Amino acid sequence: MSSRLPAIKGGEIMRIFRVRNFSILYAGILLALIGNLQGCRILGDFENDKTFIKSAAGAGGSISGQVTASDAIPLSIRTLKNSLIRADVQVSNAEVWLQDDPDITTKTNGDGYYSLLNVPFGSHRVVAKLYSQSRDITYKIRSQEIMVTSESANQAIETLAIEPAKNKVQGILLDSAGNPVANAELWLWGERFYTDQNGRYTSPPLPDKENIEEIKVVKAAGFEATSIITPFTAGGESVNVTTLSKPGEPNKAPKVWITTVKTPQDKIEPGEKIAFWAVYYDPNANDLGKLKESWRVSGGTLASSTVAMPEDLKRRVREFAGKVDPDSVIFSAVEWAVPTEKGNYKIEIEVFDSGGLSGKAQYPINIGAAPVVNHPPTAKIIASDTVYAGNYLDLRVAANDSDLDVLIYNWSVVPSAGNFSSITAMNTTWKAPDFAGTYEIQCKVQEMRGNGEFVVATLSVQVYPPIEVYKGRITGHVIDELTNLPVNGAIVGIVGTSKYTITDANGYFEFNGLAPGVYDLAASRDGYKGRTFPNISVP
């Protein structure tokens, strides 16, 4: 038999002991210590079944309750001997925290009870989680909204019945130039996780019934905090690509997510027609009438649709769409004609604003319970194959993946020389070394999925010296440092003499009949900053 934990009143410390089929409740009212207990939190060492008091900053109300196992957890698991999920469905040692203040946390005791203290006044939701290492399964649940006020400071809430949690999402955070944002801190239901060096993340799992949720980008060095609304699917095959904004940047990227009545686990037969809805908005009011959407699918065909969103799904979407100006939210429907071949497919939408920024979302669908068949990406480097020493070469990789997998990039050069403006962006710039030679530019293009396929695109680049020296002769080219294009009409002179020449249409110049010695050259042209090339030794 189980009983609800009563509200804990200020100045009381309560403890419950279970003896057979009844509970004995005792309370010590420590009136002399009331002043000292302000700002204290009661925490449990439940392995040794002891309770102690730990000092904590601040004061407020409390939220207490019990965590149990839901009917979604098979009875055979709930009744295993020595299981944390006990036969009487009480859950011990579960983590419990406030969704919007996860530093207020505790664990359940041997009977599944918990108490969160120093809860700020306001509206809160409680999250409970249990991870079974032996089964590699996470169980989780979240409460309804709980109002804690000075008049109702101590709240005893409904039982939290944890459920299997397997729904995840993958994503990538980028800056406005397409560079990954590494080490960003994100929250999902108050649970922290982080992006890797390629800006990638995989969310913590949510209960299987949670198909749409909000991820908060809490900290990202040099970027504004924001939120991501995205679908969640079993195994985390759904993907969201989000562009972050720096403080003061006038243009902010649109945000988009996809939803449907189907889930990746639903049995879908070839030849069906399925409606998908994209929901998107742009923080810039001026962009609302200028947004452009681009749909793609890895198989079958897409067509525009007027199918209305079901009411239950619409209520869920409105819950999140209501977090922004409703007038700025755009709904777009398409109908997918399922291909006749069994397989794994993805629906994708990318929304572009007038400034070139975009948001992207994907939704996975399995047809005919087909095994996952993955295809590697293709890639080609687009750039000039020549550059002058010490100058810049713009590089772009044209990559494609027939499965619509999100791709990540890694640039390198062999032998190692020069510097890249970014080694993880799709577009980058390579500053060539100060010495001539032949170099192989490489870009590893890999799918974001775990153990994803990859391809390495290569480009052989010849680095030429800007100045070449022969017996009695100096030749060279004058080029624009930023564009790498030749500068014609530039004046090139030998410092300390009256000798000079003017570059031709290719930026070329030469001096002949020079005596052996060391010379300094100076180049200038209207609109450019002059430059001197010292210590040129002529044999």
Side-chain angles (χ1 to χ4, degrees), residues 41 95-106 116 120 124-127 185-193 216 218:
R41 182 176 300 168
E95 299 175 63
V96 182
W97 67 84
L98 292 184
Q99 173 178 281
D100 292 327
D101 198 345
D103 289 330
I104 297 181
T105 182
T106 188
L116 295 168
H124 300 281
R125 298 183 82 167
V126 174
V127 180
E185 180 181 328
L186 301 92
W187 289 11
L188 176 62
W189 283 14
E191 190 168 2
R192 294 177 173 94
F193 57 108
K216 294 183 178 180
V218 178

Side-chain angles (χ1 to χ4, degrees), residues 221-242:
F223 297 92
E224 294 179 345
T226 188
S227 63
I228 304 165
I229 300 168
T230 182
F232 284 71
T233 56
E237 289 297 316
S238 54
V239 176
N240 191 289
V241 180
T242 305

Side-chain angles (χ1 to χ4, degrees), residues 182-360:
N183 303 316
E185 180 181 328
L186 301 92
W187 289 11
L188 176 62
W189 283 14
E191 190 168 2
R192 294 177 173 94
F193 57 108
Y194 300 85
T195 57
D196 66 12
Q197 64 177 1
N198 292 302
R200 299 177 300 177
Y201 64 84
T202 298
S203 74
L206 290 182
D208 299 351
K209 66 183 180 182
E210 302 290 348
N211 297 319
I212 303 175
E213 194 48 79
E214 178 186 34
I215 293 174
K216 294 183 178 180
V217 183
V218 178
K219 294 178 184 177
F223 297 92
E224 294 179 345
T226 188
S227 63
I228 304 165
I229 300 168
T230 182
F232 284 71
T233 56
E237 289 297 316
S238 54
V239 176
N240 191 289
V241 180
T242 305
T243 301
L244 302 185
S245 300
K246 295 180 180 179
E249 278 187 334
N251 190 27
K252 303 183 189 304
K255 298 182 180 180
V256 59
W257 75 94
I258 298 175
T259 188
T260 182
V261 294
K262 297 288 188 178
T263 73
Q265 290 73 47
D266 287 338
K267 185 177 181 181
I268 300 172
E269 296 298 333
E272 280 191 55
K273 291 188 176 181
I274 304 173
F276 286 84
W277 295 272
V279 185
Y280 59 88
Y281 65 96
D282 195 295
N284 302 96
N286 294 335
D287 275 333
L288 289 180
K290 305 173 185 176
L291 297 176
K292 296 181 179 180
E293 61 183 60
S294 174
W295 288 87
R296 293 200 301 166
V297 63
S298 58
T301 58
L302 288 174
S304 59
S305 173
T306 57
V307 176
M309 188 180 294
E311 284 302 318
D312 58 339
L313 185 58
K314 189 180 294 184
R315 279 194 301 271
R316 183 69 170 150
V317 169
R318 282 174 176 166
E319 176 184 340
F320 295 102
K323 295 175 183 283
V324 298
D325 180 4
D327 294 332
S328 68
V329 178
I330 298 173
F331 293 80
S332 177
V334 294
E335 187 176 70
W336 181 42
V338 177
T340 56
E341 301 85 6
K342 295 181 179 181
N344 290 270
Y345 299 93
K346 289 191 183 78
I347 311 293
E348 176 186 280
I349 183 173
E350 188 165 10
V351 178
F352 299 86
D353 68 12
S354 58
L357 298 182
S358 69
K360 181 190 293 185

Side-chain angles (χ1 to χ4, degrees), residues 382-395 430 432-433 437-439 441 459-465 477 479 483-486:
I382 309 298
S384 170
D385 59 2
T386 62
V387 64
Y388 289 102
N391 284 277
Y392 296 89
L393 181 64
D394 291 329
L395 301 166
W430 180 56
T438 300
Y439 299 86
I441 304 292
L459 176 69
S460 180
V461 174
Q462 185 67 45
V463 177
Y464 291 107
H477 291 79
I479 60 173
T483 66
N484 229 22
L485 296 175

Side-chain angles (χ1 to χ4, degrees), residues 307-531:
V307 176
M309 188 180 294
E311 284 302 318
D312 58 339
L313 185 58
K314 189 180 294 184
R315 279 194 301 271
R316 183 69 170 150
V317 169
R318 282 174 176 166
E319 176 184 340
F320 295 102
K323 295 175 183 283
V324 298
D325 180 4
D327 294 332
S328 68
V329 178
I330 298 173
F331 293 80
S332 177
V334 294
E335 187 176 70
W336 181 42
V338 177
T340 56
E341 301 85 6
K342 295 181 179 181
N344 290 270
Y345 299 93
K346 289 191 183 78
I347 311 293
E348 176 186 280
I349 183 173
E350 188 165 10
V351 178
F352 299 86
D353 68 12
S354 58
L357 298 182
S358 69
K360 181 190 293 185
Q362 292 183 345
Y363 199 93
I365 291 289
N366 184 287
I367 306 301
V372 175
V373 178
N374 189 30
H375 304 89
T378 60
K380 180 181 180 180
I381 297 175
I382 309 298
S384 170
D385 59 2
T386 62
V387 64
Y388 289 102
N391 284 277
Y392 296 89
L393 181 64
D394 291 329
L395 301 166
R396 178 174 68 88
V397 62
N400 182 61
D401 189 276
S402 59
D403 304 311
L404 298 187
D405 286 320
V406 174
L407 302 174
I408 57 177
Y409 310 93
N410 191 279
W411 293 90
S412 60
V413 59
V414 179
S416 180
N419 296 287
F420 291 96
S421 60
S422 171
I423 64 169
T424 52
M426 183 170 63
N427 302 327
T428 189
T429 299
W430 180 56
K431 184 179 181 182
D434 292 329
F435 37 88
T438 300
Y439 299 86
E440 184 176 82
I441 304 292
Q442 300 180 347
C443 184
K444 181 180 179 181
V445 181
Q446 185 170 15
E447 298 166 341
M448 196 177 79
R449 68 169 71 211
N451 299 318
E453 299 276 358
F454 69 88
V455 64
V456 178
T458 63
L459 176 69
S460 180
V461 174
Q462 185 67 45
V463 177
Y464 291 107
I467 297 174
E468 297 185 69
V469 178
Y470 308 92
K471 185 175 182 179
R473 186 178 178 213
I474 299 175
T475 67
H477 291 79
V478 176
I479 60 173
D480 187 301
E481 187 177 43
L482 297 179
T483 66
N484 229 22
L485 296 175
V487 178
N488 73 322
I491 299 173
V492 182
I494 298 178
V495 177
T497 75
S498 59
K499 291 183 179 181
Y500 71 92
T501 188
I502 298 177
T503 59
D504 64 14
N506 295 314
Y508 178 77
F509 69 89
E510 65 177 51
F511 293 96
N512 295 298
L514 300 176
V518 177
Y519 297 89
D520 296 340
L521 295 186
S524 63
R525 191 187 188 282
D526 289 345
Y528 290 87
K529 183 179 179 181
R531 184 171 178 182

